[in-house]
Amino acid sequence: MKRFGSRIVGAVLVLCGAVSIAYAEPAETMASAVGLDTLWVLVTAFLVFFMQAGFGMVEAGFIRAKNVCNILTKNFLDFCMASLGFFIFGYAIMFGMGNGFMGFKGWFLMGAQSGSSVPLYAFWLFQAAFCGAAATIVAGGMAERMKFPAYLIYSFLISAFIYPVVGHWIWGGGWLAGKGFSDFAGSTVVHTVGGVAALIGTIILKPRTGKYNEDGSPNVIAGHSIPLASLGVFILWFGWFGFNPGSTLSVGNGDLIARVAINTNLAAAMGGIMAMFTVWKMFGKPDLSMAMNGALAGLVAITAPCAFVEPWAAILIGGIGGVLVIFGVVVLEKLHIDDPVGAVPVHCMNGIWGTLSIGFFGQKALGLANDGLFYGGGLTQLGIQALGVGTVVLFILVSMGVIFKLIDATVGLRVSREEELKGLDIGEHGMESYAGFQIFTTQ
């Protein structure tokens, strides 16, 4: 009898152990999944951060040697200012509880909530890297004549207040998100914001000395290092594999990550090819600088639709972006808008194009709210995309126009003509990028 009782007790204990394991396994699996997602988000955030080096190299290569230290200092301080501004104010505005326009909770991350399944700090770092990318776009468009203190003020303000408002509209549950507007990884949120800010900034700043003749014809002011610019483009292309695939914020859907990655690569490749052939046809030479900007244009254009389109559509979107960037450069030249590195055609024009392309090629089967025009969805999604990107363009033009005008009226926006001719490296920083080389010019 005792033996029989001990067997019953043993069976009950085994059963209880099995039940406890059954309940423990899902919890452990969930913790493991969150750990993997966190690792994925952090690694891709590191890749996006590394894009700052890419922006720095591209912009340094496309400008004159006498201003390289200045542009690299601006790129370096951009991420510093963005990190602090986004920590103190930006995250709360972008992802905090509020209304359709902006959030109001989570200043200094106190009481803030993560916008995904990963821990708050991991999500914040990923979003801060995006914020820094948006801010640094303007450095290229306003290069070689903008005061350094003025740039620091701009960089903090756009990171802390302007970029987060647009981010809240689209990614923070704001009014555009409620209408079904889609921007998977930031053609509008990051690139259109930075590109339009560069546009209004360079218009207010006016062209570089010597860029245009008295009859209005433009002069070519060549960059000092194509090798540096090439290195920068490769770094940016590499970093974009964190920028777009990382925006999945999870490793749970391998098909989605793979589709985003292949679309990103194909769009960049076709953008570079189409830009090269276009400039070759128009001007007689396959210009490497234009081809590289074409690849960047393809990357910008595919950033919004990368999750919602098939690879063949990504090729088409990137190819159109490559052509668009060449015509964009030509149009800016005719309008006397001096953009030394092509920030406006690459980021503004192709940010808009990439956002609108969702309305043509996007698919409901791939997670979009409505099918695009070419999949029988009519103009519904295209109309939503046009409303969203149009509103963002208008908001940035007005807000950044006011900010640049206020900066100009207080600390001043542009360096003196003498300082511009000597170079901002000496005038602003008292140092040279290439010590021992005579690089001063009078043009």
Side-chain angles (χ1 to χ4, degrees):
M1 187 69 178
K2 289 182 179 180
R3 183 178 299 178
F4 180 72
S6 64
R7 287 179 179 177
I8 292 177
V9 171
V12 170
L13 291 175
V14 169
L15 181 61
C16 291
V19 170
S20 65
I21 291 173
Y23 277 99
E25 284 182 349
E28 291 173 2
T29 302
M30 184 177 296
S32 177
V34 171
L36 286 174
D37 289 347
T38 303
L39 179 63
W40 168 249
V41 169
L42 286 175
V43 169
T44 54
F46 303 154
L47 286 175
V48 178
F49 166 73
F50 189 49
M51 291 173 72
Q52 292 290 135
F55 280 116
M57 295 299 98
V58 168
E59 293 168 6
F62 281 160
I63 64 172
R64 289 167 289 185
K66 62 182 180 179
N67 298 311
V68 169
C69 176
N70 177 261
I71 201 72
L72 292 178
T73 307
K74 288 173 179 175
N75 274 271
F76 177 76
L77 268 297
D78 254 325
F79 197 76
C80 298
M81 302 301 280
S83 294
L84 292 177
F86 196 69
F87 174 78
I88 298 170
F89 302 110
Y91 188 87
I93 293 172
M94 191 163 174
F95 293 104
M97 296 292 292
N99 53 34
F101 183 78
M102 62 181 289
F104 298 101
K105 183 180 179 181
W107 315 110
F108 292 88
L109 295 189
M110 292 187 295
Q113 300 294 320
S114 174
S116 74
S117 62
V118 302
L120 171 63
Y121 293 166
F123 184 71
W124 177 87
L125 185 63
F126 186 78
Q127 296 298 334
F130 273 54
C131 181
T136 203
I137 291 168
V138 177
M142 301 177 71
E144 301 200 295
R145 72 266 201 212
M146 184 179 183
K147 284 185 175 181
F148 184 65
Y151 188 84
L152 291 182
I153 296 170
Y154 142 79
S155 183
F156 184 83
L157 292 178
I158 194 173
S159 303
F161 303 106
I162 306 301
Y163 169 85
V165 167
V166 176
H168 181 78
W169 293 355
I170 298 168
W171 290 342
W175 71 276
L176 280 177
K179 289 185 176 297
F181 181 88
S182 292
D183 180 6
F184 186 76
S187 288
T188 292
V189 176
V190 177
H191 298 285
T192 302
V193 167
V196 174
L199 174 62
I200 189 62
T202 195
I203 289 173
I204 294 172
L205 197 57
K206 296 183 173 53
R208 291 168 289 177
T209 300
K211 175 61 181 176
Y212 295 99
N213 299 312
E214 291 184 3
D215 63 359
S217 59
N219 295 311
V220 175
I221 301 179
H224 88 287
S225 178
I226 290 297
L228 269 185
S230 301
L231 175 63
V233 171
F234 278 118
I235 291 174
L236 286 172
W237 194 330
F238 175 66
W240 236 285
F241 291 121
F243 204 97
N244 287 0
S247 294
T248 60
L249 300 175
S250 169
V251 296
N253 189 338
D255 288 339
L256 174 61
I257 295 172
R259 181 169 66 253
V260 169
I262 190 174
N263 285 345
T264 299
N265 192 67
L266 291 174
M270 196 62 178
I273 290 171
M274 290 304 297
M276 181 194 70
F277 280 121
T278 302
V279 75
W280 199 347
K281 175 69 175 176
M282 293 176 66
F283 302 105
K285 297 291 183 181
D287 188 322
L288 174 59
S289 64
M290 290 293 195
M292 292 190 295
N293 265 347
L296 295 179
L299 287 164
V300 170
I302 199 60
T303 297
C306 56
F308 309 121
V309 300
E310 297 287 354
W312 69 266
I315 293 173
L316 191 56
I317 292 167
I320 293 173
V323 175
L324 182 61
V325 77
I326 305 302
F327 284 98
V329 169
V330 173
V331 169
L332 291 184
E333 290 273 75
K334 292 184 181 298
L335 295 175
H336 287 200
I337 298 173
D338 184 16
D339 177 1
V341 307
V344 174
V346 169
H347 298 281
C348 171
M349 297 179 185
N350 276 284
I352 294 171
W353 157 236
T355 303
L356 294 176
S357 72
I358 294 176
F360 293 104
F361 303 103
Q363 297 183 53
K364 190 174 182 179
L366 298 179
L368 197 61
N370 307 284
D371 280 322
L373 179 63
F374 297 150
Y375 285 87
L379 298 174
T380 302
Q381 192 64 43
L382 182 59
I384 294 170
Q385 299 299 115
L387 171 66
V389 75
T391 305
V392 169
V393 168
L394 182 61
F395 173 71
I396 299 300
L397 283 174
V398 174
S399 60
M400 291 310 306
V402 170
I403 285 175
F404 283 132
K405 282 293 188 180
L406 288 175
I407 293 174
D408 193 29
T410 51
V411 301
L413 203 58
R414 182 167 182 149
V415 300
S416 67
R417 184 177 187 277
E418 180 183 1
E419 189 173 336
E420 184 181 350
L421 292 177
K422 284 185 176 181
L424 274 64
D425 287 2
I426 294 295
E428 294 272 86
H429 307 284
M431 60 192 306
E432 297 175 88
S433 302
Y434 303 98
F437 292 86
Q438 182 67 33
I439 60 172
F440 296 146
T441 66
T442 57
Q443 59 177 341

